[in-house]
Amino acid sequence: MSRDEMRKIQSIRLKQTVERVYHNSTFYRKKMQELGITPNDIESIDDIGKLPFTTKQDLRDNYPFGLMSSPMSEIVRLHASSGTTGKPIVVGYTRSDLAVWAEVVARCLTAYGVTKNDRIQVSYGYGLFTGGLGAHMGVENIGGTVIPMSSGNTQKQIQLMHDFGANGLACTPSYAMYLAETIHASGIPLEEFQLRIGAFGAEPWSENMRKELEEKLHIKAYDIYGLTEICGPGVGGECECQNGTHLWEDHFFPEIVDPVTLQPVAPGEEGELVFTTLTKEGMPMIRYRTRDLTHLIYDKCECGRTAVRMGRIMGRSDDMLIIRGVNVFPSQIESVILEMPEFEPHYLIVVDRKNNTDTFEVQVEVRQEFYSDEINRMMALKKKIGHRLQSVLGISADIKLVEPRSIERSQGKAKRVIDNRKI
Ligand code: DLL
């Protein structure tokens, strides 16, 4: 679809969405009135900047159902995402919302090359988290066979993956890494598995992690992106080119803004991703601030898809650590670790404050073949990674080398940071 055609569709859908929220949601009507605007001020997608932003705090303040724009009798599903503090945020879907969600996940799977002949093991958690049920509906939508494992019970996961001949695996990249390790430890030859495709997301991951997962599992590993507030997984997904995540912008309109000034950044520049849903009925979102930091690529992709692409998420404007005045993203540390063959892709960042100075410790697992009782060898290894981190982050870290398999494995989103500072 040409850009012009896309913008036409986006304009029509934005106007419908604004009408809906203005008339059906006290929350949005009040916000628009505060800015002195009515639906008549929105004539096309070019007017998006006139609309107010929405934040996670707005969802918390209106817990549980304050942002619904459909009567509860039309809501057929609720999901929730655990907030870092206090109450969860709750989202509601109409039947039509579920159909759109299934469709966008199906688009991602199709772009990975999944067909009705494939069996997909869904190892995202099922329940209030959107990962399990979202991926599940997408597989069903294209007529594939779902293996609804949910997360956990890792031995059984690999046994059934093996026995059922799963061709695809959908889970977080960190859990995929754990499953890969477990397969290797099980002694079952990789050749006996039929895995071909991974649909990994729900947490930031790097190119190096992709390489490692592809090598360890003999698969192609693809990104799937999404967030509860917008629908769940499937807001975007990679294609065979593995060169940016296509965002399904006929349903979710993306903008990139400066997280401080909230003004749009120049095309292609890095900033905070903001979404406006264009077809949602239950709980449409107007200019929702994701806190995810990335950039958008409007050039046509080699795969032929014209949907805008998003670069890898560099982190979130709110999970960024400021250590001794320096901005640090856990994803940068992960990249360094994965570049070095001596380490397992498992690490833990511990931040604290002693004598008014931040302490910054990176615990990392040494691979079995590099692990040694010889102090000199371990010291040299410590120095090596220490230098590399210093040059990438511009700040020095205390390195703690730990034994293979000693850092706790996650069955969902990995916990990479312990911040003990009380600031
Ligand atoms: O994580 C939805 C999801 C499930 C996406 C399964 C993909 C697969 P939330 O729990 O609301 O929803 O977390 C959303 O997770 O704002 C990002 O910060 C992060 N995130 C999600 N996907 C990716 C990804 C689900 N592919 C938050 N790369 C988002 C990097 C991701 N970060």
Side-chain angles (χ1 to χ4, degrees):
M1 189 181 286
S2 73
R3 270 285 107 224
D4 278 355
E5 277 175 287
M6 177 61 83
R7 287 189 81 81
K8 250 184 227 157
I9 290 182
Q10 289 169 333
S11 295
I12 294 167
R13 292 181 172 179
L14 177 67
K15 282 180 5 182
Q16 287 167 347
T17 300
V18 171
E19 285 282 351
R20 170 179 279 273
V21 298
Y22 190 82
H23 295 295
N24 297 349
S25 150
T26 320
F27 168 80
Y28 280 116
R29 187 163 54 248
K30 197 161 151 258
K31 272 203 155 189
M32 285 174 65
Q33 282 169 344
E34 276 165 14
L35 292 178
I37 55 169
T38 69
N40 291 336
D41 293 303
I42 307 301
E43 284 174 5
S44 80
I45 197 76
D46 297 329
D47 294 321
I48 191 118
K50 293 181 182 166
L51 292 165
F53 287 100
T54 310
T55 63
K56 220 185 240 309
Q57 192 58 43
D58 290 324
L59 275 100
R60 290 212 184 98
D61 293 346
N62 292 281
Y63 175 86
F65 304 141
L67 260 72
M68 301 288 175
S69 292
S70 290
M72 286 309 282
S73 57
E74 298 296 314
I75 300 292
V76 296
R77 175 92 68 81
L78 295 173
H79 277 284
S81 119
S82 49
T84 37
T85 52
K87 296 170 190 154
I89 56 123
V90 184
V91 292
Y93 305 73
T94 64
R95 264 183 214 290
S96 155
D97 293 338
L98 289 184
V100 169
W101 187 13
E103 145 95 24
V104 290
V105 176
R107 284 189 200 173
C108 299
L109 295 169
T110 304
Y112 310 152
V114 175
T115 70
K116 68 193 284 283
N117 299 318
D118 288 312
R119 270 159 253 158
I120 309 296
Q121 182 152 329
V122 177
S123 305
Y124 286 114
Y126 279 62
L128 287 171
F129 177 55
T130 55
L133 283 158
H136 185 109
M137 291 188 305
V139 178
E140 282 187 345
N141 185 285
I142 58 171
T145 309
V146 193
I147 308 172
M149 284 300 294
S150 196
S151 61
N153 210 343
T154 305
Q155 289 299 337
K156 192 161 186 187
Q157 296 261 359
I158 62 167
Q159 185 198 330
L160 297 192
M161 188 188 293
H162 173 268
D163 297 352
F164 294 178
N167 313 110
L169 170 65
C171 63
T172 58
S174 55
Y175 193 47
M177 196 63 88
Y178 182 32
L179 285 167
E181 277 179 350
T182 312
I183 290 175
H184 285 269
S186 74
I188 310 174
L190 206 51
E191 292 68 42
E192 289 187 15
F193 288 82
Q194 313 212 3
L195 268 194
R196 192 160 55 76
I197 284 161
F200 303 138
E203 64 186 3
W205 55 308
S206 57
E207 270 315 300
N208 285 327
M209 189 136 173
R210 181 201 321 264
K211 244 189 273 157
E212 182 128 12
L213 284 167
E214 291 191 338
E215 277 163 20
K216 281 198 160 153
L217 287 169
H218 293 185
I219 56 168
K220 280 285 205 186
Y222 295 99
D223 186 50
I224 183 162
Y225 170 79
L227 59 160
T228 313
E229 296 86 329
I230 301 304
C231 71
V235 173
E238 276 182 325
C239 62
E240 66 268 28
C241 302
Q242 294 181 315
N243 188 20
T245 298
H246 288 279
L247 297 176
W248 309 125
E249 55 175 321
D250 50 332
H251 292 292
F252 319 111
F253 181 78
E255 297 173 82
I256 302 280
V257 301
D258 179 312
V260 179
T261 65
L262 299 183
Q263 292 304 308
V265 300
E269 246 179 51
E270 190 94 9
E272 181 178 335
L273 183 60
V274 169
F275 281 110
T276 300
T277 61
L278 297 176
T279 49
K280 262 181 105 174
E281 298 177 342
M283 206 171 123
M285 281 285 135
I286 303 289
R287 304 192 84 198
Y288 183 72
R289 294 187 55 187
T290 64
R291 302 281 176 175
D292 289 326
L293 300 177
T294 182
H295 63 278
L296 296 180
I297 308 155
Y298 283 93
D299 304 341
K300 195 169 160 186
C301 182
E302 275 176 31
C303 72
R305 286 178 186 80
T306 50
V308 63
R309 279 170 293 157
M310 158 182 100
R312 265 198 191 280
I313 299 209
M314 270 302 295
R316 294 170 55 83
S317 58
D318 58 0
D319 86 351
M320 183 178 76
L321 294 159
I322 304 182
I323 304 172
R324 293 178 226 140
V326 178
N327 296 351
V328 174
F329 288 102
S331 54
Q332 294 172 295
I333 296 169
E334 181 181 284
S335 267
V336 168
I337 291 168
L338 288 169
E339 269 167 21
M340 303 180 70
E342 294 92 341
F343 301 105
E344 294 284 352
H346 298 288
Y347 63 94
L348 189 65
I349 301 161
V350 186
V351 189
D352 207 340
R353 181 161 285 191
K354 292 200 177 109
N355 302 326
N356 293 320
T357 308
D358 290 335
T359 61
F360 173 30
E361 182 185 82
V362 176
Q363 299 181 9
V364 56
E365 281 185 18
V366 179
R367 270 189 211 285
Q368 192 67 55
E369 58 271 34
F370 291 96
Y371 199 79
S372 159
D373 289 338
E374 276 180 54
I375 289 198
N376 281 348
R377 278 179 61 183
M378 289 294 97
M379 290 299 283
L381 204 51
K382 211 164 143 168
K383 226 170 157 178
K384 189 172 165 192
I385 187 171
H387 279 153
R388 183 80 194 112
L389 277 175
Q390 160 90 45
S391 76
V392 169
L393 305 175
I395 175 180
S396 67
D398 298 319
I399 309 292
K400 188 169 167 195
L401 302 181
V402 299
E403 285 182 41
R405 310 189 66 80
S406 59
I407 290 175
E408 198 188 336
R409 300 298 190 253
S410 87
Q411 297 187 341
K413 295 185 195 238
K415 183 156 177 55
R416 310 283 199 200
V417 180
I418 298 178
D419 195 339
N420 293 320
R421 290 175 296 186
K422 295 192 179 56
I423 297 173

